[in-house]
Amino acid sequence: MNDARGSSSTASVATAVQVRGLRVRRGKNMVFDGLELDIPRGQITGLLGPSGCGKTTLMRSIVGVQRIEAGTVSVLGSPAGTASQRLRVAYDTQAASVYDDLTIRQNLVYFARLIGAPRRDVDRVLSEVGLAAYGHQTVASLSGGQESRVSLAVAMLGAPELIVLDEPTVGLDPLLRAELWAVFRRLADAGSTLIVSSHVMDEALRCDRLLLMRAGRIIADTTPDGLRAETGADDPDAAFLALVERDAAAHPREEAAANVHAQQRDGTVGEPGLSRRQRRAAGGGGR
């Protein structure tokens, strides 16, 4: 189900990501069946929706680590996952991407060497995420918020053009969340493109553009102001629920299938399947 509009030769210079006709199956479940979307350059695009709606699968497709059945994903003008994107695209997963027994600085030096980033980047990213004074501490000694910032620092090595962040603020208190979003805004203002996933709807208001997902579908491609105008709701949770109800009425069969899948997932996936950040948020510890 390839779509010529997603080829690298036609990718707009103003577009960081083009997805055309994307089909992804996980086990017996069809996650995406012909998904199409565009993500602009130089902005923060929020990928928002409930757990299990396909956010992580979409991000994995964008960075080129997800097996797809059909369709195309073009990133910065090239097919997702090509070698040329090694320094241009960064991905911070929900699971910790750093080594507990190394110091912050040792982690950054190691990953800088791994991707071929200049060593001076270590001091730069430490400063940008507010950890310059903590470089000598081991990751194991850090709080959850500090560890999240170390993972973000790793993603920022090499000054990537596209940074993909999978629920980077989960489990953090409001102050730490605000500090991380300030970092995201500085990166975008400097020209980077950020894709940030979340199931916390008030974070939608911090984004430039919003992709709201439900059951593997994009139910809205809008802006914070557009979301409020379209739904008549100032509260982002109320606005999202209004869109969900509208989408459910328009796609009753897909909604019924999504509910069955959610019940199966909730009945078979427990605490051991959660990421470290999610376990910490649930009060189960991080290690």
Side-chain angles (χ1 to χ4, degrees), residues 13 46 50 55 121 123 128 141 150 165 190 287:
V13 294
K55 300 188 299 293
D121 264 14
D123 289 326
E128 289 181 351
S141 70
V150 178
L165 305 170
R287 307 186 193 284

Side-chain angles (χ1 to χ4, degrees), residues 18 26 39 42 45 47 54 64 69 107 112 116 128 149 163 176 181 195 217 242 258 275:
Q18 287 187 334
R26 300 289 293 272
I39 295 176
T45 294
L47 193 59
E69 284 194 353
N107 268 284
E128 289 181 351
R149 281 188 280 173
I163 304 175
L176 288 174
W181 275 98
I195 303 173
R217 298 188 304 278
S275 72

Side-chain angles (χ1 to χ4, degrees), residues 231-251:
T231 62
D234 288 329
D235 177 69
D237 286 306
F240 182 69
L241 288 174
L243 291 175
V244 168
E245 292 172 358
R246 185 181 68 184
D247 181 72
H251 303 89

Side-chain angles (χ1 to χ4, degrees), residues 142-195:
L142 302 178
S143 68
Q146 290 172 323
E147 185 177 355
S148 296
R149 281 188 280 173
V150 178
S151 291
L152 176 61
V154 171
M156 292 164 56
L157 289 168
E161 298 171 51
L162 172 64
I163 304 175
V164 181
L165 305 170
D166 195 353
E167 299 197 354
T169 62
V170 69
L172 303 186
D173 63 51
L175 178 59
L176 288 174
R177 286 173 52 201
E179 290 177 355
L180 276 185
W181 275 98
V183 175
F184 301 161
R185 176 51 60 192
R186 289 197 297 271
L187 289 169
D189 289 346
S192 295
T193 300
L194 282 80
I195 303 173

Side-chain angles (χ1 to χ4, degrees), residues 34 51 64 73 133 135-136 142 156 170 174 181-182 186 194-195 201 206 228 242 244 252-253 266 279 285:
S51 297
V73 181
H136 64 285
L142 302 178
M156 292 164 56
V170 69
W181 275 98
R186 289 197 297 271
L194 282 80
I195 303 173
M201 291 308 300
R206 301 177 184 271
R228 287 188 287 251
V244 168
R253 182 176 298 178
D266 293 341
R279 289 198 300 273

Side-chain angles (χ1 to χ4, degrees), residues 25 37 47 59 65 68 72 78 81 118 167 176 235-236 285:
R25 189 184 301 273
L37 60 89
L47 193 59
M59 289 184 150
V65 297
I68 67 176
T72 60
S78 302
E167 299 197 354
L176 288 174
D235 177 69

Side-chain angles (χ1 to χ4, degrees), residues 5-7 10-12 15-20 37-38 72-74:
R5 291 176 298 168
S7 66
T10 59
S12 169
T15 301
V17 178
Q18 287 187 334
V19 177
R20 296 291 182 263
L37 60 89
D38 295 309
T72 60
V73 181
S74 176

